[in-house]
Amino acid sequence: MQHVTVPQDRIGVVIGAGGETMREIEDRAGVRLDVDSESGSVAIEEAGDPVAAMVAPDVIKAIGRGFKPETALSILDHDLRTLELIDLTEHTRNDNDLQRKKGRIIGENGRTRELLEELSGANVVVYGTTVGAVGQPEELQVVRRAVGMLLDGAPHGAVYSYLERKSNELNDDVSFQSPQ
């Protein structure tokens, strides 16, 4: 049995309306969930496919870190799709520094975070003291690098250029046409 702690304000999202989200996680991951609403602790017990059950904690963590349940459940749909969390407290000196760096990652009206999502292909959420990303390994690598650049103080323009370059690399279709 595994345990995941979910922030108090996200317990309701894990459970869902009438327990709907919780039941969907249990059905799709082959697990039984025991949610303690007081402490935020979620006990995960394997009840079916052991491989899907191994991924269930990441689904719960993703919801706990601010992802929509549909995005978190997408981890179960694709073999290589995973959750990555970047702890911002490891890159900040104090609370003011944390707020400033979170602001750099989110950007004005959330535009930088949106561009991170659009150009990397991963889903990105800034919640509490973490930046969470759900995606394929190459998408997560792009997000990790871009967030690192922002945390190190790189100009937003340089980060956007990097994201556009990586987006083009990820989306390039190799054509196998013979030379004319």
Side-chain angles (χ1 to χ4, degrees), residues 22-171:
M22 192 169 100
R23 276 194 302 280
E24 187 172 356
I25 294 168
E26 287 178 334
D27 293 344
R28 290 183 53 191
V31 295
R32 299 252 330 113
L33 299 178
D34 182 20
V35 180
D36 182 346
S37 300
E38 296 296 311
S39 69
S41 176
V42 179
I44 305 163
E45 185 179 341
E46 183 184 314
D49 177 18
V51 175
M54 284 175 33
V55 179
D58 280 348
V59 173
I60 304 292
K61 280 182 204 165
I63 295 172
R65 295 317 312 162
F67 286 97
K68 294 178 183 172
E70 308 82 58
T71 303
L73 285 162
S74 74
I75 296 170
L76 293 168
D77 297 335
H78 309 285
D79 286 346
L80 295 175
R81 197 163 166 86
T82 57
L83 167 70
E84 171 134 354
L85 294 173
I86 301 167
D87 185 358
L88 297 177
T89 59
E90 294 175 2
H91 304 277
T92 55
R93 295 181 301 278
N94 54 39
D95 219 29
N96 287 341
D97 195 29
L98 172 69
Q99 294 307 317
R100 188 178 60 77
K101 289 187 177 183
K102 272 177 62 174
R104 285 184 53 77
I105 295 164
I106 295 167
E108 192 173 336
N109 297 322
R111 188 66 186 132
T112 301
R113 188 203 58 78
E114 285 175 8
L115 281 171
L116 262 171
E117 276 193 340
E118 284 174 29
L119 296 172
S120 70
N123 297 90
V124 179
V125 170
V126 180
Y127 179 87
T129 60
T130 61
V131 174
V134 171
Q136 303 288 342
E138 59 276 0
E139 296 167 346
L140 297 178
Q141 184 178 2
V142 171
V143 170
R144 228 185 351 262
R145 177 77 179 108
V147 168
M149 290 170 72
L150 289 166
L151 291 172
D152 289 342
H156 280 80
V159 176
Y160 298 158
S161 294
Y162 166 77
L163 286 169
E164 286 175 2
R165 189 172 66 252
K166 286 300 185 181
S167 175
N168 291 336
E169 287 175 20
L170 291 173
N171 296 326

